[in-house]
Each structure stands twice: as C-alpha cells, then as structure tokens.
C-alpha cells in the first residue's frame, strides 16, 4: 500500500513563479506562509573556500538559491583564502563547482548575475592587512551592490582556526553592524571535541557575536525528512497518543554509511564516529523524536523543548555492555574489495579511531520512562541508510494459535531520513488462505511518489535561513554543550580501554559487540 499526497501536482507555493529574478506572483496574499521567503539585501563571506564543503555543498547551494529566485538581486559572495587568486579565478572555481554539484539546472543568466557579485580576498587568518582588505571589500559591496551592511561570515574551517578568525572579525570591525544592518557568523561542526572545548569555543564566539547572531550548522536539521519528524508527530492525531512508554518498546536511530574514510584522515583520525555523528546528528534526531510539543512553532519554543528533553537524556550503563565501537577492516562491499581503515592513506596503522559507534540512552520523563533508545552509526556498513525506528510493544494478548503468529514481529513505525525518504509502518496482517495465520506487512509513504516537488538540499535551506535570520534549525550553545555532556563519559570510557575498537569487515553491519549490546535485553538491531 502506498500513501500519496491528497493534493497531487504542484502544491505548496506552486502559484509563485521563481524566474531567477525574485519575481513573486502579486495575486498571492503576502501573509501566506507558503510563499517562498526571499532574503533581503545581503552578502556572504566564506572562509575555507578551497575546501571540499565549499566546493561540493556551499557554492552549489548558493547557486541553487539564486536559481530559485530566493537571493536578492545584489547578493554578493566573497571568498577568503591563502591562494593567490584574482576575483575571476575564484569565480571560475565557483562556476566549476556549480556545474558539477548544483541540484538545479544551469542557467547562464542566473550565473551571470551571481558572478557579478563574486569577490576574492587573499590572505591568511593571522594577517591583519588581509582582514582590513576584507573589510574594505565588504564596504565597497555595500556601496556598489546595495548589500546594506548585512553580511554573514561562514567559517568552513577547522575549529582550531575559529579563535583567530573571530578575533580578526572583531579587530577589523567586520563583526559589528550599524543601525538596522546585521552581521552573523555561521559555524560548521565539529563544535569542539568534548564539553570543555565546546564551552571554550562558545565563549570565544560569544565574545565577538551575540548568541542570536551565531548559527551553528547541523546539516541534518536542514533535511526535509528531519523536519518531517515534527510534522508527523504534531500535525496528526494518529501517532501522538501512542508515542510514549505505554506503547513504545524501544527506539533505534541508525545512520549507516557505505563510504569509507579515504581522503579524510586529517579530520577523522582521532575523532571517530561518536564525535563525528552521534554528538550532533543523532542527538538532534533523538531530541526531535522525544521532545514535547512546542507551545508555538517558533525558534524559541522549539529550542526550549529540545533542550528540555536533552537535559532529561542520560546514558544507560554499564558502558561495557550498553555501548559498542568498531573499526572496519578490509572486506567485500558492493562487489568490490575495499581496504580497512588502517590501510587508508594518512591513517595511523595503529589507529584506535572508531568507525562504528553505538550507545544506549534513556530519557527520564514520564513519557519515556523505561524506554531504551539505541543510537548507532558506522562507515563502510552494508548500505547507506539513516532511519528512526519506533518499535512498539507486542499486543498484550494474541487470541490465535501460537503457530499462527510465528512470523509476527513488533509493530514499528520507521521514519526513513535517507535515501528513499518516507515513512513505513509495519504491522501484522492475515495471510490469505483458510488458516488464521498472521504475518508482518508494511505500508509505505514515499516522498518521491507522494509529492511532485523535489526536496532542496539541506544547505540550501540552512544558508537561506542564515540570510533571513531564522534560527529554528540551528542548535543553540546550550544544546551543543548538553550533547557533549551526555556523550563525554562514553568517550572517556573508550579512551581508557587498553584495547582498540572491535574489528568488523567492510560491507557488514558492524562488530559483534553491537549485537550483544541489544541481545542482553532480548532485542536485535533492524536490518534496514
Ligand atoms: C557529516 C560527517 O557531518 O555527515 C560525515 O562529518 C558524514 O562523516 C556526513 O559522512 C553524512 O552526511 P549525509 O548528509 O550524507 O548523511
């Protein structure tokens, strides 16, 4: 069975035509929240423009926003890096990145308009003169392109460089705005490597920018399917009455990746899967799954509810039984042999970095008392899938012969974050025939078939929200710190073990210890 949108065809915002010129259908009521939100006059400065993130995600997303008519006509993009580039060189780099990675079709007119606002400033982070040039460039853009003094600074750089860049933004006056204008800072993860370092970073950033000007990126929150968790829970009557410990047996949050870590040793070795993914993406998914209904759908209320539930979240021990970590070794994946982590270029051959991590947490509230939440993530697993599986208790009584329900499992509601975005419900149904045999079946909603609109990339949504000053999808300093506080004891426990992570072959579902972790309570991981 498949669910489809009851409003097929172009639906939300369909009567608004995005021409690339920011043209909006004047017949629509401007109070209509479905109208696309268009950023006012502004510019974006990116630090780290020569990195992968800028090339694969940020600059293509900026083009896609321009193509959808969501950027102001005078929008300006400034790149800051060490390379000896002229504006045109940087323009060519952005052009090539857009051609290679943009989601929407390439349109020359849109590109030409965007290219007019592209500038490059050469320099290093400790070079005062370079930041003075940057300040002059931004001021010139205000004069020539009407950016109105509104600028966001995107730190797509390692956290070790945050302090010096923040200091330079303050020294050069770039962090300060005049009158109604705004200045914002966008920070990529990793936001620290434990609670202490996260606090220090928050302090450093907070000395320069007020909290409402700080946008911490967790790109999972920009995904449509992640936002759909709230729609599913709070726009329906169907799910919320059973979304609690009376009905839910346990919840599994899985982020499995089939890719390995080739080329990422510099970032990943010594960091590992728990810091890379559990502290941020999975904790946020947990918060959205478990939080109470916000009193209003505003940033303040949403963030308050997330923080509240994170404060009620704690690790379940003993950690030697309730956590697992692994490291991939060579193995067959997708029909080809792939190397183990220790053989990947740049990794220490004795590396103890985990590429698989799983933890058990509880949420100490009336709603969730006694329900375990299992969070797992790994690289080089059997397939790429991110999902939240809410697994329900069995019916209290089955009036059937026991042999008739042997193939009946737990009911489950599975939110598929990616790929194949959608929601699946699993329940028992009668097998056709004369016997009253019951077997598991699934009912499916798929984004791809239910809606004609294609989903924007997470970075499109998040960059637009930064430019609009809409903070709902950005974790606060308190959320980030609380997530570290939850995770830190696991990191300390693992760091103190004499042995490294358990090996698991590439292409498998992780180490045996992960299976034991659930088996101790009679449960098992789903095979998504
Ligand atoms: C990043 C992690 O935050 O998310 C990566 O640092 C991971 O290790 C990536 O591969 C996954 O993102 P997505 O959107 O492809 O699921």
């Amino acid at each position: 069975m498949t669910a489809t949108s009851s409003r097929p065809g172009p639906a939300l915002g369909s009567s608004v035509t995005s021409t690339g010129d920011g043209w909006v259908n004047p017949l629509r009521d401007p109070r209509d929240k479905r109208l696309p939100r268009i950023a006012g006059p502004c510019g974006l400065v990116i630090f780290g423009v020569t990195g992968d993130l800028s090339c694969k995600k940020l600059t293509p997303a900026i083009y896609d926003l321009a193509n959808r008519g969501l950027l102001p006509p005078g929008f300006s993009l400034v790149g800051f890096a060490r390379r000896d580039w002229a504006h045109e060189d940087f323009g060519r780099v952005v052009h090539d990145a857009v051609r290679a990675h943009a989601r929407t079709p390439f349109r020359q007119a849109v590109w030409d308009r965007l290219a007019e606002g592209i500038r490059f400033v050469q320099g290093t982070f400790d070079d005062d003169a370079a930041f003075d040039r940057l300040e002059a460039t931004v001021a010139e853009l205000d004069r020539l392109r009407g950016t109105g003094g509104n600028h966001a600074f995107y730190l797509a750089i390692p956290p070790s460089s945050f302090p010096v860049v923040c200091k330079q933004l303050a020294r050069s006056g770039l962090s300060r705005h005049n009158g109604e204008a705004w200045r914002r800072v966008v920070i990529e993860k990793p936001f620290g490597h434990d609670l202490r370092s996260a606090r220090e970073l928050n302090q450093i950033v907070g000395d320069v920018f007020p909290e409402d000007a700080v946008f911490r990126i967790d790109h999972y929150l920009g995904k449509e399917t992640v936002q759909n968790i709230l729609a599913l829970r709070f726009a329906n009557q169907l799910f919320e009455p059973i979304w609690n410990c009376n009905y839910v047996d346990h919840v599994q949050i899985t982020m499995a990746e089939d890719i390995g870590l080739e080329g990422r040793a510099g970032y990943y070795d010594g960091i590992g899967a728990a810091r890379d993914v559990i502290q941020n993406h999975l904790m946020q998914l947990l918060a959205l799954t478990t939080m109470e209904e916000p009193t209003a759908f505003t940033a303040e209320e949403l963030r308050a509810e997330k923080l509240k539930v994170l404060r009620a979240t704690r690790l379940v021990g003993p950690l030697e039984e309730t956590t697992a970590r692994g490291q991939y070794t060579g193995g067959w994946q997708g029909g080809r042999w792939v190397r183990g982590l220790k053989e990947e270029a740049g990794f220490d051959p004795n590396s103890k970095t985990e590429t698989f991590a799983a933890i058990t947490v509880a949420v100490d509230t009336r709603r969730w008392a006694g329900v375990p939440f299992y969070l797992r993530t790994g690289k080089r697993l059997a397939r790429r899938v991110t999902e939240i599986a809410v697994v329900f208790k069995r019916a209290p009584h089955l009036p059937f012969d026991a042999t008739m329900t042997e193939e009946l499992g737990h009911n489950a509601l599975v939110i598929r974050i990616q790929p194949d975005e959608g929601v699946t419900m699993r329940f028992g149904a009668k097998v056709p025939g004369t016997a009253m045999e019951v077997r598991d079946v699934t009912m499916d909603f798929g984004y791809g078939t239910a809606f004609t609109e294609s989903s924007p990339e997470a970075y499109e949504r998040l960059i637009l929200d930064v430019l609009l000053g809409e903070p709902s999808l950005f974790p606060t300093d308190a959320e980030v710190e609380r997530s570290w506080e939850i995770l830190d004891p696991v990191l300390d426990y693992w760091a103190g073990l004499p042995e490294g992570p358990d090996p698991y072959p590439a292409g498998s579902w992780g180490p045996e210890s992960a299976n034991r972790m659930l088996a101790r309570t009679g449960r098992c991981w789903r095979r998504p």
Side-chain angles (χ1 to χ4, degrees):
M1 199 184 285
T2 306
T4 46
S5 162
S6 55
R7 246 177 101 186
L12 298 182
S14 62
S15 58
V16 177
T17 313
S18 291
T19 60
D21 299 328
W23 183 80
V24 173
N25 184 344
L27 298 178
R28 286 286 287 268
D29 180 345
R31 286 165 308 177
D32 186 339
K33 286 261 168 50
R34 291 172 300 174
L35 282 173
R37 303 159 312 151
I38 299 170
C42 64
L44 180 68
V45 178
I46 302 181
F47 296 95
V49 273
T50 50
D52 239 24
L53 180 73
S54 178
C55 168
K56 292 197 178 137
K57 299 288 183 190
L58 305 185
T59 51
I62 289 164
Y63 168 81
D64 287 325
L65 287 172
N67 207 4
R68 291 164 63 204
L70 303 180
L71 295 184
F75 178 79
S76 303
L77 171 66
V78 183
F80 183 103
R82 233 183 327 216
R83 304 272 164 98
D84 190 12
W85 283 346
H87 301 314
E88 297 71 32
D89 298 319
F90 177 50
R92 262 191 301 278
V93 169
V94 176
H95 174 270
D96 293 350
V98 166
R99 292 305 291 244
H101 301 291
R103 180 180 65 88
T104 59
F106 188 79
R107 291 196 289 162
Q108 193 62 44
V110 172
W111 169 254
D112 289 345
R113 180 182 273 203
L114 189 63
E116 282 169 21
I118 291 184
R119 302 285 185 279
F120 183 75
V121 175
Q122 193 265 331
T124 53
F125 298 152
D126 55 4
D127 180 358
D128 290 1
F131 277 79
D132 292 342
R133 284 198 300 278
L134 180 62
E135 201 279 330
T137 304
V138 162
E140 188 186 63
L141 288 170
D142 288 343
R143 279 196 310 279
L144 297 182
R145 296 186 55 80
T147 36
N150 303 315
H151 298 274
F153 301 96
Y154 200 122
L155 310 193
I157 52 178
S160 53
S161 301
F162 291 175
V164 57
V165 172
C166 283
K167 231 178 271 160
Q168 287 285 16
L169 290 174
R171 190 204 54 79
S172 60
L174 278 161
S175 60
R176 284 186 293 280
H177 61 90
N178 289 324
E180 291 293 287
W182 52 257
R183 300 285 156 119
R184 297 179 184 137
V185 66
V186 189
I187 304 179
E188 269 293 335
K189 59 173 273 272
F191 201 79
H193 54 89
D194 57 12
L195 175 60
R196 212 178 58 138
S197 54
R199 278 197 180 133
E200 278 167 16
L201 277 182
N202 275 330
Q203 178 78 46
I204 287 163
V205 176
D207 283 347
V208 178
F209 291 94
E211 178 64 14
D212 65 0
V214 182
F215 290 72
R216 296 173 190 79
I217 294 262
D218 183 317
H219 79 280
Y220 263 61
L221 296 181
K223 292 182 192 269
E224 289 285 325
T225 41
V226 172
Q227 293 160 43
N228 188 45
I229 299 169
L230 298 183
L232 186 86
R233 291 191 54 200
F234 301 129
N236 297 299
Q237 179 68 343
L238 193 56
F239 306 112
E240 209 49 21
I242 53 169
W243 210 259
N244 57 53
C245 60
N246 297 327
Y247 296 92
V248 175
D249 178 76
H250 72 280
V251 176
Q252 300 185 13
I253 302 181
T254 298
M255 176 180 161
E257 294 186 278
D258 52 6
I259 52 170
L261 286 154
E262 55 276 77
R264 289 190 77 200
Y267 160 68
Y268 203 89
D269 207 11
I271 294 286
R275 287 187 171 95
D276 183 43
V277 164
I278 293 186
Q279 184 272 338
N280 38 79
H281 306 326
L282 298 197
M283 288 288 182
Q284 287 291 325
L285 293 183
L286 173 78
L288 295 174
T289 306
T290 54
M291 65 186 248
E292 295 301 316
E293 182 176 288
T295 51
F297 220 70
T298 60
E300 201 184 351
E301 299 302 333
L302 276 169
R303 292 160 136 193
E305 291 302 338
K306 275 199 291 167
L307 183 59
K308 214 166 86 188
V309 83
L310 286 172
R311 286 199 177 127
T313 301
R314 63 167 171 87
L315 287 170
V316 174
L319 298 182
E320 62 270 31
E321 291 176 20
T322 57
T323 68
R325 62 174 181 156
Q327 187 186 76
Y328 66 83
T329 58
W332 288 96
Q333 194 180 44
R336 73 189 175 102
W337 178 263
V338 295
R339 281 190 298 230
L341 180 90
K342 288 182 174 133
E343 290 99 60
E344 302 265 28
F347 280 90
D348 180 344
N350 299 314
S351 174
K352 282 186 168 186
T353 301
E354 86 277 358
T355 58
F356 177 100
I359 65 169
T360 311
V361 296
V363 178
D364 285 339
T365 59
R366 170 179 284 240
R367 182 192 283 267
W368 295 116
V371 177
F373 291 80
Y374 302 110
L375 278 49
R376 68 172 162 169
T377 183
K379 304 273 184 198
R380 283 265 186 254
L381 296 183
R383 56 178 286 237
R384 173 176 181 255
V385 59
T386 300
E387 63 166 42
I388 299 163
V390 180
V391 181
F392 292 92
K393 294 182 173 170
R394 284 185 186 278
H397 172 70
L398 290 173
F400 310 103
D401 188 286
T403 57
M404 294 290 111
T405 53
E406 272 169 2
E407 292 188 53
L408 175 66
H410 286 252
N411 294 166
L413 183 107
V414 182
I415 303 171
R416 298 194 307 274
I417 305 294
Q418 65 186 25
D420 190 21
E421 292 79 357
V423 179
T424 299
M425 253 209 273
R426 189 180 70 189
F427 52 91
K430 181 182 175 305
V431 181
T434 50
M436 193 58 192
E437 189 187 350
V438 184
R439 191 185 293 166
D440 278 341
V441 293
T442 56
M443 192 162 78
D444 203 51
F445 148 67
Y447 264 86
T449 46
F451 295 106
T452 51
E453 296 89 342
S454 68
S455 296
E457 274 281 320
Y459 276 99
E460 283 173 66
R461 172 66 196 261
L462 296 175
I463 291 172
L464 181 62
D465 278 3
V466 169
L467 302 180
L468 289 164
E470 166 47 59
S472 298
L473 299 179
F474 299 85
T476 59
D477 50 355
E479 283 172 65
V480 170
E481 289 179 15
R482 176 63 194 149
S483 301
W484 281 118
E485 198 173 16
I486 296 167
L487 192 63
D488 270 0
V490 180
L491 301 172
D492 292 344
Y493 166 67
W494 286 344
L497 293 177
E499 70 277 15
D502 302 326
Y504 65 94
S508 69
W509 276 104
E512 210 19 64
S513 50
N515 295 332
R516 285 199 299 276
M517 174 183 149
L518 262 68
R520 65 190 274 277
T521 56
R523 300 184 174 102
C524 62
W525 290 107
R526 280 169 46 79
R527 281 289 149 85

